[in-house]
């Protein structure tokens, strides 16, 4: 005697070895013996053999027309043998009965299971909905297959091109477009990014990086909504100074300016004047919400996305030739000792005489030009000559301030690495296309004008930070507990020491047109200037205000992402520079052993950190010549092979490499993390998809 039974959703047949009231021992054709509950046995038979019956039943099942079977089926619950007798004949064979069982079981949209071998047909409206869903699914699968075939043939369908960045970085894994990419990747055995690039979905490397950034951070675009630009208060007093700013030529958001009075009197007053949008922009207004949504201006070679609309910037930027609203810090300095004796904050209009551009003046304003009044440089502008004495004093003061901070730091600040300026020829500030000719120039860090601006900003930020803390007004501070390895700068609402700078407290407040935290701190500083000891009651943000913590969290994430994008675009244009100038070899300095073997090196004359493969054992600071490999503009990747080790002072170079090893490690391009998982099963998302 044989039995056909159901086991874990499968139909099996075998020879009955023994049988009790509630179960039976059945031997399968494979020789395996299983214990089967009596309720699970659906048919008992002597002939044919189990395997033969299943084969015959499957053939019969394939011939059953489900629509016809549904019409034949009774409205009430029925057994599979009942349907077989209605569909085939009242003397339905064993194979026909088993065939009916298989067909009914595999058609749950037509027949609902009511028990072992028992069924009930689905209502007509439910059946129609199910059939429509099945047909739609077939059409979607056909579309997925067609799109996958197009991708495999090197052509990108329009819907996939339109959703490229969503598919790669934030996909709906049930979407047909995503599934087509997965299917095509499996079929071609190409990584999704390579597949899409080959199919023309990525028009250019620059567009890929730019649109990915917009997708992540500006999904609604970079245009500003129509908002009315607020005007500054009309009753601000006019400052009795002639200020000047120092920025590069591309700067339109001029946040800070300086003034000097009292030279030769023994007591000098240095004015540090900060653009004051906080005098008119009110917390909670649409313009504030706009600034809070962007949090910072985004910089990149040849272009920028400003935090505030241009019409607002133009009202408050410290343009030359007009009196601009400002929050001014006046610092009284002993002219002989350069010690600070007093400070005062005022809200006023500050006449700005000139906007100096350091990229046009660094070759003039040198240590020699400042130290020797008789030293002249051809082409020195008259207005610069008129400010020579003020600049000379400011540089003396800046060097004094820097030396004092270095005593607190416990070691000098290293300016052994230059800054690099990028210029896209003919770009004119418009959105780059990615094929512009790029020029890279070097600007030595710590140059006189750079030092003056940096030290003045530190004075303002540390003075105002301490003042807010003294008055009990919360602010947003940057602090660093120590210079020990791994101790990084963090942001908080507490005035704590910043070991890296060497000050007791440090609150960003000197770039309110470009950074939202500076605007927040400016509101608090304005309250201090207006209300003094009662400022804590009048300030927009109160102590332990949860909103401040939210701003810090949002700003940290956005500022890090913006800086990361800027670094990536600087790397992109550096790689473009190599291609445009057919540079195949570079001299470089070893930084450290690479994470995956080889060496990590920094180019001597370009802002480029990259791995040198296949060589180990060279010390940090070793000077080498490297042959460059193939450049990947999508991955922002290039590697090199060692040509030779050059003579040089490895120890001296190592000193400069030590402080920046972590930053250099981060500067090396890594693989682009996409969310397309070629290994996931259909309809089942990966457990932990990679995030961009």
């Amino acid at each position: 005697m044989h039995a056909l039974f159901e086991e874990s959703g499968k139909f099996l047949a075998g020879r009955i070895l023994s049988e009790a009231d509630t179960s039976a021992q059945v031997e399968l054709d494979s020789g395996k013996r299983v214990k089967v509950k009596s309720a699970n046995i659906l048919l008992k038979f002597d002939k044919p053999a189990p395997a033969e019956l299943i084969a015959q039943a499957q053939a019969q099942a394939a011939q059953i027309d489900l629509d016809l079977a549904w019409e034949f089926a009774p409205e009430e619950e029925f057994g599979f043998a009942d349907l077989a007798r209605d569909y085939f004949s009242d003397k339905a064979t064993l194979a026909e009965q088993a065939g009916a069982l298989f067909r009914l079981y595999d058609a749950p949209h037509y027949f609902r299971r009511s028990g072992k071998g028992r069924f009930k047909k689905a209502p007509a409206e439910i059946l129609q909905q199910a059939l429509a869903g099945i047909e739609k699914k077939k059409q979607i699968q056909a579309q997925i297959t067609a799109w996958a075939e197009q991708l495999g043939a090197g052509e990108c369908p329009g819907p996939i091109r339109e959703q490229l960045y969503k598919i790669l970085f934030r996909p709906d894994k049930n979407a047909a477009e995503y599934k087509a990419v997965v299917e095509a990747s499996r079929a071609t055995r190409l990584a999704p990014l390579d597949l899409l690039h080959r199919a023309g979905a990525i028009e250019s490397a620059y567009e890929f990086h730019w649109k990915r950034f917009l997708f992540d951070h500006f999904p609604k675009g970079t245009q500003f909504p129509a908002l009315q630009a607020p005007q500054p208060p009309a009753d601000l007093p006019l400052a009795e100074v002639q200020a000047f700013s120092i920025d590069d030529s591309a700067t339109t958001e001029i946040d800070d300016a300086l003034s000097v009075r009292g030279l030769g009197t023994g007591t000098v007053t240095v004015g540090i004047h900060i653009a004051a949008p906080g005098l008119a922009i009110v917390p909670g207004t649409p313009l504030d919400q706009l600034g809070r949504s962007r949090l910072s201006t985004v910089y990149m070679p040849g272009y920028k996305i400003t935090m505030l609309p241009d019409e607002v910037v133009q009202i408050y930027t410290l343009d030359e030739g007009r009196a601009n609203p400002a929050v001014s810090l006046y610092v009284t300095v002993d002219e002989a000792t350069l010690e600070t004796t007093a400070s005062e904050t005022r809200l006023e209009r500050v006449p700005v005489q000139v906007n100096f551009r350091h990229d046009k003046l660094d070759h003039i304003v040198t240590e020699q030009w400042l130290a020797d009044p008789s030293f002249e440089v051809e082409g020195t502008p008259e207005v610069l000559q008129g400010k020579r004495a003020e600049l000379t004093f400011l540089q003396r003061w800046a060097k004094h301030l820097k030396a004092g901070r270095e005593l607190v730091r416990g070691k000098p600040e290293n300016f052994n690495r230059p800054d690099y300026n990028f210029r896209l020829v003919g770009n004119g500030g418009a959105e780059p296309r990615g094929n512009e000719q790029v020029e890279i120039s070097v600007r030595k860090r710590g140059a006189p004008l750079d030092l003056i601006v940096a030290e003045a900003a530190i004075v303002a930020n540390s003075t105002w930070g301490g003042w807010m803390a003294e008055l009990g007004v919360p602010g947003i501070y940057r602090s660093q507990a120590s210079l020990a390895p791994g101790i990084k700068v963090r942001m908080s609402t507490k005035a704590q020491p910043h070991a890296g700078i060497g000050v007791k407290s440090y609150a960003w407040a000197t770039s309110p047109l470009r950074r939202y935290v500076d605007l927040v701190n400016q509101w608090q500083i304005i309250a201090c200037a207006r209300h003094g000891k009662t400022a804590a009651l009048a300030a927009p943000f109160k102590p332990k205000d949860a909103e401040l913590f939210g701003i810090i969290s949002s700003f940290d994430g956005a500022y890090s992402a913006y800086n990361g994008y800027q670094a990536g675009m600087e790397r992109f244009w550096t790689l473009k520079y190599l291609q445009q100038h057919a540079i195949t070899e570079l001299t470089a300095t070893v930084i450290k052993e690479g994470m995956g073997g080889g060496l990590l090196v920094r180019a001597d004359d370009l802002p480029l950190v990259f791995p040198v493969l296949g060589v180990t054992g060279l010390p940090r600071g070793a000077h080498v010549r490297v042959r460059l490999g193939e450049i990947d503009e999508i991955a922002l990747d290039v590697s090199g092979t060692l040509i030779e080790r050059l003579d040089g002072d490895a120890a001296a170079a190592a000193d400069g490499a030590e402080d920046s090893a972590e930053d250099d490690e981060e500067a090396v391009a890594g693989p682009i993390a996409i969310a397309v998982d070629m290994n996931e099963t259909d309809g089942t998302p990966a457990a932990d998809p990679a995030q961009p």
Side-chain angles (χ1 to χ4, degrees), residues 79-93:
F80 66 90
D82 300 327
L83 182 71
R85 284 187 284 270
D86 289 339
Y87 187 88
F88 292 107
S89 72
D90 58 354
K91 295 180 179 179
T93 66

Side-chain angles (χ1 to χ4, degrees), residues 392-553:
T392 298
F393 175 81
L394 287 173
Q395 195 221 14
R396 284 181 56 226
W397 185 51
K399 291 170 76 173
H400 173 79
L401 293 169
K402 180 175 180 289
R405 291 191 301 101
E406 288 177 338
L407 284 176
V408 177
R409 290 181 87 244
K411 64 178 181 178
E413 293 177 323
N414 285 323
F415 289 144
N416 59 330
R417 291 174 58 188
D419 284 330
Y420 291 91
N421 296 324
F422 292 79
R423 178 172 174 263
L424 305 186
V425 178
N427 181 52
E431 183 181 318
R433 301 180 303 278
N435 58 359
E436 289 85 351
Q437 192 74 18
V438 59
E439 294 179 354
I440 302 176
S441 58
V442 178
R443 178 165 179 255
K444 182 176 173 57
R445 298 172 71 188
L449 292 178
D450 182 67
L451 183 66
I452 289 169
V453 172
E455 292 299 329
I458 291 172
V459 168
N461 288 330
S462 59
T463 301
W464 280 331
W467 191 36
M468 286 192 292
E470 181 183 334
L471 295 176
V473 174
I476 298 178
Y477 293 87
R478 292 174 66 80
S479 62
Q480 186 178 16
S482 75
L483 292 179
I487 304 299
K488 295 190 175 184
V489 176
R490 58 185 296 269
M491 300 186 75
S492 70
T493 59
K494 293 183 179 180
Q496 296 174 328
H498 194 307
I501 297 177
V503 293
K504 293 181 179 179
S505 62
Y506 192 76
W508 263 349
T510 53
S511 295
L513 293 173
R514 295 184 278 184
R515 287 191 304 241
Y516 187 72
V517 293
D518 297 54
L519 179 59
V520 169
N521 281 334
Q522 187 173 87
W523 283 323
Q524 304 296 84
I525 293 165
I526 289 171
C528 293
R530 284 175 171 166
H531 302 280
K533 293 183 178 180
T534 62
L537 300 175
F541 300 94
K542 304 299 187 284
K544 298 183 180 180
D545 193 326
E547 199 170 0
L548 277 181
F549 294 101
I551 292 169
I552 289 173
S553 177

Side-chain angles (χ1 to χ4, degrees), residues 105-125:
Y105 194 87
D106 288 337
H109 45 294
Y110 279 92
F111 303 99
R112 298 175 180 176
R113 299 167 197 161
S114 297
K116 298 296 181 180
R118 306 289 297 174
F119 299 89
K120 184 175 176 59
K121 74 177 184 179
E125 64 274 12

